[in-house]
Amino acid sequence: MADRPPAEGDRTAAKAGDNRPALSLHVPEPKFRPGDTVDFSHIEVPEAGAQPRPDETTDPKDMRDFAYGLIRVLGDDHKAHGPWDPKLDPETLRTMLGHMAMTRAFDERMFRGQRQGKTSFYMKCTGEEATSVSASMALAGDDMIFPSYRQQGILIQRGYPMIEMINQIYSNKGDKLKGRQLPIMYSSREHSFFSISGNLATQTPQAVGWAMASAIKGDSRIAATWVGEGSTAEGDFHSACLFATVYNAPVILNVVNNQWAISSFSGFAGAERATFAARGLGYGIASLRVDGNDPLACYAAEQWAANRARANAGPTVIEFFSYRAEGHSTSDDPSGYRSAQERDEWPLGDPVMRLKNHLIAIGEWDEERQQAMDLEAAEYVKKTTKEAEANGILGHGLHHPFRTMFEDVFEELPWHLQEQAEQAIRERETKFPGGLDL
């Protein structure tokens, strides 16, 4: 007799007499919640310099240990150790420290500006500066960057005018993007910095496509993209990995694992099962897991991946293991979902402090010069902010003319949009007679 679905009574009887164990669903849960005592002893932190440095053309199938280990250069003695030491000269290290100090000063000022009502939104990168500043310094200035929303340090490192960043955050009349982007979603063709998108992970297939085009044209430029660990759960990230491996695209996929995706901890993106670097291995992509709070390790890993891409040896996935020291954004209050002790107990320290201490340890820096650098950065940001505020802040009416909302899409405005524009302008003139720039 052919198999048939059991009747309702049959199903009930079978369940009652079934001796198989009942199934249960696993729901990831962070180790610490508000008020908990924090203990990060479960995180394996190897000695600095312990990880070997493979050849830049190594077959991905031989890189499992690099996807599950942790590349570190700076030790507890604040000295550089091991084969991953990029051996940067002191002036380059001081430049790196300066960019990180400037990024932190910029974040502090813009955060206060949001709290004062000068802008609607801001996102800090406190504790993650090395993943953008140090890593991007290992790239060529014309390599194409496809960022997420916490890579302001790359623009600062590449010399993008700070006043343009602040104009964009304030969406004022000086904003080159004309108020069409959410604050902090910058764009600069001149600095090879692709437009930031609020749609998570969309930049990853775009980076791969750009890299493929560069290879097709026989160009020498590579692409690098940044994404948070939570966004690796998006389909776009996996599509990017597939195209990158199939076409051997000259691209670097940087995953900043800062442990939290807004209020969801990394376990919901798969951190309990494997490292995020290991995702690259499944696609046959070279993969590295790096101490994201070690500026020298971040530089060295990005340099390794860039050299690999330029040698036509293929793409690389890099996981920067870091910690989001502040809230996800100005709309977030992390005290509602994680212990306040986590920031202080994080075992990999603070990237700015680690680089400062390294320079002091090698006799190329001191606390007095650090204080002077921090003060100079704060004063520069303050001065530039005042200049940008002259172009307007949120709600003060100093924005681009109303008519510009219909511009820059079509070379010639279609008749139906022309009618809508005229109607909108008439209605606005009626509501605000002579009071606004139309």
Side-chain angles (χ1 to χ4, degrees), residues 89-107 129-130 133-134 137 152-159 162 295 351-353 355-356 359 364-365 369-378 380-381:
D89 61 82
E91 187 57 36
T92 300
L93 293 174
R94 283 190 288 266
T95 299
M96 183 184 293
L97 182 63
H99 292 321
M100 293 168 70
M102 186 66 74
T103 301
R104 189 160 290 189
F106 179 75
D107 276 354
E129 292 90 351
V133 171
S134 303
M137 286 182 68
Q152 53 267 46
I154 297 178
L155 280 176
I156 289 173
Q157 180 268 317
R158 288 198 165 185
M162 185 175 289
V352 178
M353 292 293 293
L355 184 55
K356 180 200 75 171
L359 277 164
E364 294 290 344
W365 201 241
R369 280 187 281 181
Q370 182 65 44
Q371 292 175 8
M373 173 184 279
D374 290 340
L375 179 60
E376 181 180 358
Y380 179 81
V381 176

Side-chain angles (χ1 to χ4, degrees), residues 51 99 105 115 168 171 183 193 199 203 220 222 230 233 240 274 297 334 371-372:
Q51 190 80 301
H99 292 321
R115 291 298 192 245
Q168 196 280 327
S171 301
F193 191 92
N199 299 311
Q203 69 273 21
S220 62
I222 66 172
Q371 292 175 8

